Amino acid sequence: MADAGWQYFVALPDDEGAAAAIGRFPTDGVRVLLRHRSGRPCVAGRLAEDRVLVAERGDTRLAVIGHCSATRDELATAADRIDEVSDLDRLGLAWAGSYHLVASVRGHLRVQGTASGLRRIFHGEFGTLTIAADRADVLATVLDAPLDPALLALRTLDALPHPLGDLPPWRNVSAVPPGWYLALPQDGRRPLVERWWQAPEPVRSLTAGGQLLRQALEDAVRLRARGTRPISADLSGGMDSTSIALLAVRHRPLLTALTMENDDRADEDAQWARQAAAGLPDLNHIVYSSRELPRFFGGLTAVEGVPDEPSTAVLSAPRLRAVRQRALAHGSRLHLDGLGGDQLLCGHPAYHHDLLRHRPLLAAQRLRVLTQLRRSNWGTEARGLLDGHSYRRWFTDRAHGRALRTPSPLSAWGHFPGLPAWLTPDARDLVTRTLRDTAATVEPLASTRGRHNDLLAIQDAGRMVRQCHQLTETGDFSHTSPFLDDRVIQACLAVRPEQRVTPWEFKPLIKAAMADVMPPEVLTRRTKGDGTTIVAEGFEAHRRELAELWDDSRLAALGLIDPGPLRELFELPYTNSLHQGAMQSALSCELWARATAFQPAAATRP
């Protein structure tokens, strides 16, 4: 649940009864940030002064919350041109940054987040009114919403397909999908959820796309670097964080860049980071050992202040907070990272399914190369690429247990989770009914499999990074991820996928964008560290104390899991096949459930 150090806001309709919600906020320090023209509260919450910009013109009240390049005058000019809430469609990409937009136009309310899902909107009924918030747990507190056992059980599974990852685990709390907005009339009833963002058509060349991406990243980093307060950045040695750090140092020559060195000889990240920093004599480059951070899986039994929804991000909480303390020790109040870059720059292999339909010869050529790299069967892969089943058919077959084979990522609509052995019979029934109910109306994020998977990966990254940010954010410190800015996403997705992703080159788009900035030797890198060794070491050091969690499991008390199979997993040495995926989801859900004060609803779905 949100504590006194965290930032959030609630958006309220222009109705007398909505103001009563403010008294139910979960922390002190709440203030009204924007008012409707009537004088009633429109936006209230706990936000740092420099994260909110507001403008008032005539019947329009407008606020941007987050990192936004708009000046006060530019925001006022935009407000002056808004006559209907639909006029805000053009503002989502008007300015660089990552921000919420909230507008009151003649008492009509519109609230929107970002296309990536890094900034979310949730809504629910407060009496007869609908109110919105950017944190699901804050809204659940205001609404006194009970946990939904079915949706909580769902969160113990691995890699949920669209749209299941968007379902908050409470009754009466709904999520606005990324790229959509919530609109409310003045009376606060009959909420409307509409789309404001569409992914661009992928028609640009690698060269043109590289220029667009470079400009988008320049704008994104310049925005974060403006002002005088100290900032810091990750410099992991990977291309994504290196790009951000090298752009940031242009605006802040004395930038502090942090590099974690792993003593696993197979991990070369620190070596690449040193090469990138070598030509920047003013850079304050801090290299520290991974041993200076808490071990993976360490400190979890004492974690407080969890994200607003169950998330495997909580497993990184002690390490993320230790990095925050290191940045703070060097005076930083804003830390830039390269998170989200992998999902934008690597692309999803299912685009080969799309490629076969408009460039079959190129698809066949690449399929031959990929089957050699993946050591898979050409005929099996080809049959998968020829499959034409819809997303709803794919989802329905799996929800009803009719899919016997796991398809190749080259042709699949995505990953569909199995039901782990530790779910109780009641939980299995709840999850199965939820999957089957969802299958009846499910629609993909895009009409083609490659684009659907790209968008799903970006939204999953936005959700995970958002929850990582929640673990470290305070009133005077925050993490920020420029790769998940909407204009950066727009630039990447506009590039033809067969040029953005190839089997012969690693992340060609960022190389095209950063060729004149990145050291030439870094541009040749084709690998990245995965940290498996230190994860395994951390598991071995802490698995016994984590096993004890299941002796008085909160999830078991809710009737959702049988702790026996989970205890057994913690008695086995770490392997990716056993201890990634669902096991980590279940552990994260247990930690989250222990840290919340919410009560469960009856274990049946209406």
Side-chain angles (χ1 to χ4, degrees):
M1 183 187 299
D3 65 21
W6 289 1
Q7 310 292 290
Y8 58 84
F9 71 86
V10 171
L12 307 169
D14 191 10
D15 185 275
E16 193 68 39
I22 297 177
R24 299 175 64 90
F25 280 18
T27 70
D28 297 328
V30 175
R31 60 192 178 96
V32 175
L33 304 164
L34 184 70
R35 293 185 181 274
H36 296 284
R37 189 169 188 180
S38 65
R40 299 187 183 105
C42 178
V43 180
R46 182 185 177 91
L47 294 172
E49 293 282 352
D50 61 350
R51 307 287 170 78
V52 187
L53 188 66
V54 301
E56 300 181 2
R57 286 292 186 275
D59 291 328
T60 297
R61 304 292 185 268
L62 185 61
V64 289
I65 301 169
H67 296 286
C68 181
S69 64
T71 65
R72 194 172 300 277
D73 287 344
E74 287 171 338
L75 191 66
T77 299
D80 199 38
R81 295 173 179 170
I82 293 173
D83 296 316
E84 305 289 343
V85 292
S86 60
D87 294 338
L88 267 77
D89 286 359
R90 63 179 182 270
L91 296 185
L93 297 171
W95 302 301
S98 174
Y99 48 89
H100 286 92
L101 273 173
V102 185
S104 171
V105 184
R106 295 193 300 277
H108 292 257
L109 181 67
R110 170 165 166 165
V111 193
Q112 74 182 48
T114 59
S116 68
L118 184 65
R119 296 185 180 273
R120 300 297 306 275
I121 294 296
F122 303 91
H123 61 100
E125 292 184 0
F126 181 70
T128 60
L129 306 176
T130 295
I131 64 174
D134 69 326
R135 284 189 64 114
D137 57 352
V138 169
L139 187 62
T141 298
V142 173
L143 303 180
D144 197 21
L147 286 170
D148 186 321
L151 299 182
L152 189 57
L154 200 66
R155 292 301 186 96
T156 68
L157 307 186
D158 175 32
L160 296 174
H162 170 74
L164 298 176
D166 266 348
L167 304 179
W170 292 280
R171 301 248 173 105
N172 192 29
V173 176
S174 300
V176 176
W180 295 59
Y181 66 84
L182 173 72
L184 288 173
Q186 186 170 356
D187 64 7
R189 296 162 176 81
R190 303 179 305 281
L192 185 66
V193 176
E194 295 280 357
R195 183 190 296 274
W196 71 266
W197 180 82
Q198 292 274 9
E201 288 297 315
V203 295
R204 294 187 180 273
S205 68
L206 184 68
T207 299
Q211 293 171 350
L212 275 179
L213 176 57
R214 171 59 174 276
Q215 187 61 58
L217 285 175
E218 287 267 20
D219 293 343
V221 172
R222 183 186 304 110
L223 161 65
R224 271 81 170 187
R226 70 186 183 186
T228 58
R229 65 177 184 171
I231 65 172
S232 55
D234 281 343
L235 182 56
S236 70
M239 288 189 180
D240 309 339
S241 69
T242 300
S243 298
I244 298 300
L246 292 180
L247 292 174
V249 79
R250 292 181 155 200
H251 303 285
R252 294 291 190 90
L254 298 178
L255 176 79
T256 295
L258 302 180
T259 298
M260 184 191 74
E261 186 165 27
N262 182 358
D263 55 14
D264 180 358
R265 293 183 179 180
D267 190 334
E268 302 173 333
D269 280 356
Q271 171 191 333
W272 291 99
R274 287 189 176 95
Q275 290 189 39
L280 302 168
D282 293 331
L283 182 72
N284 183 25
H285 187 205
I286 307 298
V287 180
Y288 61 93
S289 169
S290 63
R291 304 297 180 186
E292 298 177 42
L293 299 180
R295 287 180 182 267
F296 277 96
F297 294 103
L300 296 180
T301 57
V303 164
E304 296 180 352
V306 294
D308 66 339
E309 299 179 88
S311 168
T312 54
V314 75
L315 302 183
S316 299
R319 294 172 67 84
L320 289 170
R321 288 168 177 169
V323 172
R324 175 184 64 189
Q325 291 307 114
R326 191 172 296 273
L328 283 167
H330 290 276
S332 176
R333 293 298 179 265
L334 181 67
H335 188 76
L336 285 70
D337 61 45
L339 298 177
D342 282 344
Q343 290 76 12
L344 285 173
L345 301 170
C346 291
H348 195 279
Y351 89 88
H352 290 89
H353 189 275
D354 311 350
L355 190 63
L356 183 67
R357 279 136 183 88
H358 71 274
R359 296 191 66 182
L361 293 179
L362 179 60
Q365 179 191 28
R366 293 198 173 182
L367 179 60
R368 190 173 301 278
V369 175
L370 286 164
T371 52
Q372 293 172 353
L373 292 173
R374 293 162 47 82
R375 298 181 180 178
S376 56
N377 180 274
W378 192 93
T380 300
E381 299 283 16
R383 284 193 295 273
L385 291 176
L386 291 170
D387 171 64
H389 288 158
S390 69
Y391 185 65
R392 186 175 297 178
R393 168 71 181 276
W394 173 85
F395 197 111
T396 300
D397 283 348
R398 282 150 184 79
H400 288 267
R402 294 196 290 262
L404 301 180
R405 284 188 311 173
T406 301
S408 163
L410 297 181
S411 56
W413 276 107
H415 170 80
F416 203 92
L419 301 187
W422 51 79
L423 285 182
T424 64
D426 285 346
R428 294 174 75 88
D429 181 61
L430 289 171
V431 167
T432 299
R433 278 192 281 157
T434 301
L435 293 173
R436 293 178 179 177
D437 290 347
T438 303
T441 58
V442 73
E443 296 290 343
L445 290 166
S447 60
T448 63
R449 298 187 187 189
R451 180 49 62 104
H452 166 84
N453 277 292
D454 268 349
L455 293 173
L456 180 60
I458 290 166
Q459 292 182 11
D460 283 347
R463 184 182 302 112
M464 175 66 75
V465 173
R466 170 181 174 271
Q467 291 156 343
C468 288
H469 289 179
Q470 288 178 352
L471 288 166
T472 60
E473 187 173 55
T474 64
D476 62 355
F477 181 88
S478 62
H479 273 78
T480 185
S481 305
F483 271 103
L484 290 171
D485 286 8
D486 288 347
R487 296 214 297 193
V488 175
I489 292 171
Q490 192 86 357
C492 290
L493 293 182
V495 178
R496 291 194 286 270
E498 64 269 25
Q499 295 190 20
R500 180 165 57 98
V501 187
T502 83
W504 299 286
E505 189 173 6
F506 183 61
K507 296 185 177 179
L509 182 56
I510 195 63
K511 293 178 181 179
M514 299 294 294
D516 64 329
V517 176
M518 198 86 74
E521 60 273 15
V522 177
L523 290 172
T524 65
R525 188 176 187 189
R526 297 184 59 86
T527 61
K528 62 178 295 177
D530 65 4
T532 298
T533 299
I534 58 175
V535 172
E537 289 177 354
F539 182 78
E540 179 59 31
H542 296 286
R543 62 186 174 90
R544 291 168 184 82
E545 68 186 76
L546 292 176
E548 293 177 1
L549 289 174
W550 307 111
D551 293 338
D552 61 343
S553 166
R554 170 76 165 156
L555 295 180
L558 294 173
L560 300 181
I561 63 113
D562 172 4
L566 284 161
R567 285 196 203 95
E568 292 176 6
L569 275 180
F570 285 87
E571 295 173 359
L572 300 173
Y574 182 89
T575 64
N576 286 342
S577 60
L578 290 176
H579 298 98
Q580 284 190 346
M583 186 281 283
Q584 293 192 17
S585 295
L587 175 59
S588 303
C589 210
E590 175 67 30
L591 294 169
W592 183 88
R594 285 169 174 264
T596 64
F598 295 99
Q599 298 300 313
T604 57
R605 300 299 305 277

